[in-house]
Amino acid sequence: MAPKSVRRVAYHMQGTPSPISVWADGVYINQENDDKCERNHQVRLMSRIYSNCRTGLMYLGEETDG
């Protein structure tokens, strides 16, 4: 199952007018895995992914009081 933050982004993006591709580091990079080789490989891909996208969206979480 996708992390809660990714599910919330998907919920807020429902009804977008055209298909989109999504890359979420919380899904593609196992934050709890001790396999640093795999994590480093995924991190190196990030520059190519972000430099080839037309539009970027950063989700910082739900609004909180305070």
Side-chain angles (χ1 to χ4, degrees):
M1 177 178 279
K4 185 176 183 179
S5 60
V6 174
R7 293 192 314 268
R8 287 190 174 173
V9 169
Y11 173 79
H12 289 292
M13 296 181 74
Q14 289 178 358
T16 56
S18 60
I20 61 169
S21 296
V22 175
W23 188 88
D25 66 1
V27 172
Y28 292 100
I29 301 174
N30 185 347
Q31 306 293 333
E32 297 178 15
N33 191 343
D34 289 332
D35 185 357
K36 292 188 186 341
C37 182
E38 174 61 21
R39 184 175 58 213
N40 290 342
H41 171 73
Q42 293 294 332
V43 169
R44 283 192 302 273
L45 291 175
M46 290 171 72
S47 65
R48 186 172 2 154
I49 291 166
Y50 290 128
S51 65
N52 288 318
C53 76
R54 286 186 272 164
T55 302
L57 170 74
M58 181 181 291
Y59 180 74
L60 301 175
E62 296 293 316
E63 184 176 348
T64 61
D65 293 331

